[in-house]
């Protein structure tokens, strides 16, 4: 009998070493981290230090959690005058409204600094100066909404940044309760009015983005105060769809937004855990009350008509195609 052969597994030799240099992902700039840890003393001006950090956050947003504390501590040692605080606010505002996709990070940064910057001059603390800067842009909303393309683009960036601020800027009350800034809630309502009053495509697209971002939170806040502002906004959207000379694609976006709102902004209710809310499993699906029953009926009738028209059009197309095919086969 042949002797059984013993298979020896090959031994893999690792090339890893504890003395290997520190690994950095591609695109990571270690030079920034080294200069950043040294503080703003290595920079000619405060604005250059702040701008460098803002650019760093733009390129590597994941570093926010690990580096924001050190950044705030450094600012507390460098921002010691009214002018320096004003400059800081302006730099963050410009970055948040001029760099795509930085509005969310900018709002988070503003929230953190509003709670951790110690300087509070007579002109106002960081949050107060930030809101004053936003008010400056807010006061020209009507002119901006009907301005040229460049003006409108800058205005839209401001609108979306204000929406992010409303969601992320926390205000602590005297009893420690955290709330949102009511002044921003009022401002967003008026900004929506300005956008819908000038129903150009880009204005309407901005309104859709803003409502997708803040719609559910705004509606909850208005409901707590017994206001029907969201019903009025939905009515304005329907009027725009019916009367405005906007493009077909934009009208489709508006209709989908109204549909999203009718499903409670896509949120899952306690009555339908892990399921999408529907008229069958959620009695509050259309949120019918005595005060908004008329708008409810208008909304449902409008969409039923639109859906029925689509069905009729599709049926006519299929019917016509079948007739043509029958005639062709008969030949």
């Amino acid at each position: 009998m042949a002797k059984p052969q013993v298979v020896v597994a090959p031994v893999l030799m690792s090339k890893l070493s504890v003395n290997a240099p520190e690994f950095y992902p591609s695109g990571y700039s270690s030079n920034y981290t080294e200069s950043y840890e040294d503080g703003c003393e290595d920079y000619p001006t405060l604005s250059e230090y702040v701008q460098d950090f803002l650019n760093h956050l733009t390129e590597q947003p994941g570093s926010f959690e690990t580096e924001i504390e050190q950044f705030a501590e450094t600012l507390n040692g460098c921002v010691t005058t009214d002018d320096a605080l004003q400059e800081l606010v302006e730099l963050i505002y410009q970055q948040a409204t001029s760099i795509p996709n930085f509005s969310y990070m900018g709002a988070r940064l503003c929230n953190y600094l509003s709670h951790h910057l110690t300087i509070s001059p007579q002109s106002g603390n960081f949050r107060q100066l930030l809101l004053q800067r936003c008010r400056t842009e807010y006061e020209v909303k009507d002119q901006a909404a009907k301005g040229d393309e460049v003006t409108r683009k800058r205005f839209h960036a401001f609108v979306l940044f204000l929406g992010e601020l409303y969601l992320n800027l926390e205000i602590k009350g005297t009893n420690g309760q955290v709330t949102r800034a009511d002044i921003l809630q009022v401002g967003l309502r008026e900004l929506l009015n300005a956008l819908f009053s000038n129903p150009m495509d880009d204005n309407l697209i901005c309104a859709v983005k803003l409502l997708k971002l803040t719609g559910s939170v705004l509606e909850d806040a208005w409901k707590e105060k017994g206001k029907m502002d969201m019903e009025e906004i939905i009515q304005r959207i329907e009027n725009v769809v019916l009367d405005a000379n906007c493009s077909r694609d934009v009208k489709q976006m508006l209709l989908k937004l109204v549909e999203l709102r009718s499903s409670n902004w896509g949120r899952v209710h306690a009555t339908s855990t892990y399921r999408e809310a529907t008229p069958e499993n959620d009695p509050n699906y259309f949120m019918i009350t005595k005060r908004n029953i008329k708008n409810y009926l208008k909304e449902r009738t409008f969409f039923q008509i639109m859906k029925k028209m689509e069905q009729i059009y599709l049926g006519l197309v299929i019917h016509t195609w079948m007739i043509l095919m029958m005639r062709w086969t008969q030949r």
Side-chain angles (χ1 to χ4, degrees):
M1 295 179 62
K3 295 182 179 181
Q5 295 181 352
V6 179
V7 179
V8 180
V11 179
L12 299 177
M13 300 299 292
S14 175
K15 296 182 180 180
L16 297 177
S17 172
V18 293
N19 298 319
E22 188 174 357
F23 169 76
Y24 292 104
S26 60
Y28 182 84
S29 174
S30 60
N31 293 332
Y32 171 79
T33 303
E34 293 172 0
S35 60
Y36 159 72
E37 291 176 348
D38 294 335
C40 59
E41 291 82 4
D42 290 346
Y43 288 82
T45 62
L46 172 66
S47 61
E48 290 186 36
Y49 170 70
V50 174
Q51 191 62 59
D52 198 13
F53 182 76
L54 295 177
N55 294 338
H56 173 64
L57 277 185
T58 303
E59 296 174 359
Q60 301 177 37
S63 64
F64 179 87
E65 299 292 344
T66 58
E67 298 178 4
I68 184 59
E69 183 177 354
Q70 177 64 41
F71 178 66
E73 290 179 3
T74 302
L75 289 181
N76 280 327
C78 299
V79 181
T80 56
T81 64
D82 293 10
D83 291 341
L85 187 59
Q86 288 275 9
E87 185 179 22
L88 174 64
V89 169
E90 184 64 25
L91 286 169
I92 296 175
Y93 176 85
Q94 291 298 333
Q95 188 86 354
T97 56
S98 61
I99 304 299
N101 303 323
F102 192 76
S103 57
Y104 166 69
M105 186 59 64
R108 289 186 64 195
L109 178 61
C110 289
N111 180 59
Y112 190 92
L113 294 181
S114 69
H115 294 291
H116 292 85
L117 284 186
T118 55
I119 182 174
S120 183
Q122 293 182 349
S123 59
N125 57 30
F126 177 85
R127 186 180 70 243
Q128 292 169 335
L129 293 180
L130 174 67
L131 294 178
Q132 288 176 18
R133 178 62 182 88
C134 292
R135 184 173 182 83
T136 301
E137 202 75 23
Y138 168 82
E139 289 176 347
V140 295
K141 59 185 181 299
D142 294 322
Q143 299 93 312
K146 62 180 68 171
D148 57 26
E149 185 177 354
V150 175
T151 302
R152 294 199 309 272
K153 185 176 181 180
R154 185 170 61 248
F155 174 61
H156 299 156
F158 161 70
V159 169
L160 296 178
F161 175 56
L162 206 70
E164 293 287 4
L165 270 182
Y166 176 65
L167 297 179
N168 291 278
L169 190 62
E170 299 174 341
I171 299 178
K172 292 182 180 179
T174 54
N175 58 353
Q177 184 181 6
V178 177
T179 60
R180 291 189 172 91
D182 285 341
I183 188 66
L184 295 181
Q185 179 189 126
V186 176
L188 291 176
R189 178 68 172 93
E190 294 303 317
L191 289 174
L192 285 168
N193 285 341
L195 291 168
F196 286 123
S197 297
N198 300 276
M200 290 171 274
D201 280 5
D202 54 354
N203 281 344
L204 296 175
I205 291 173
C206 179
V208 169
K209 290 180 179 179
L210 179 62
L211 285 170
K212 283 185 176 181
L213 177 68
T214 63
S216 61
V217 179
L218 285 173
E219 183 164 15
D220 290 344
W222 287 329
K223 280 185 175 181
E224 289 179 2
K225 299 178 180 179
K227 295 182 178 180
M228 303 296 293
D229 290 50
M230 189 56 69
E231 298 294 340
E232 297 173 6
I233 290 173
I234 296 300
Q235 186 63 56
R236 293 203 68 172
I237 292 176
E238 292 181 2
N239 293 337
V240 167
V241 171
L242 291 174
D243 302 328
N245 295 323
C246 56
S247 68
R248 181 178 178 182
D249 290 341
V250 171
K251 289 185 178 183
Q252 281 292 108
M253 291 178 63
L254 292 169
L255 291 175
K256 288 181 180 180
L257 178 69
V258 177
E259 184 178 354
L260 177 66
R261 185 262 176 173
S262 68
S263 64
N264 200 17
W265 305 101
R267 292 179 293 190
V268 179
H269 293 266
T271 56
S272 55
T273 307
Y274 301 112
R275 291 182 298 165
E276 183 179 356
T278 66
E280 288 75 23
N281 61 32
D282 185 359
N284 298 318
Y285 182 80
F286 296 114
M287 295 167 284
I288 307 175
T289 65
K290 291 181 179 179
R291 296 178 64 183
N292 69 1
I293 186 67
K294 292 183 179 179
N295 287 334
Y296 163 77
L297 292 174
K298 288 181 181 179
E299 180 179 325
R300 294 305 299 158
T301 303
F302 174 77
F303 281 105
Q304 287 174 352
I305 292 174
M306 292 294 293
K307 192 169 184 178
K308 191 65 176 178
M309 289 177 64
E310 289 183 1
Q311 293 174 348
I312 293 173
Y313 176 76
L314 183 60
L316 288 173
V317 171
I318 295 175
H319 182 68
T320 303
W321 180 80
M322 291 179 63
I323 292 175
L324 292 174
M325 288 297 296
M326 289 177 60
R327 291 181 178 177
W328 183 78
T329 54
Q330 290 176 356
R331 291 182 182 179

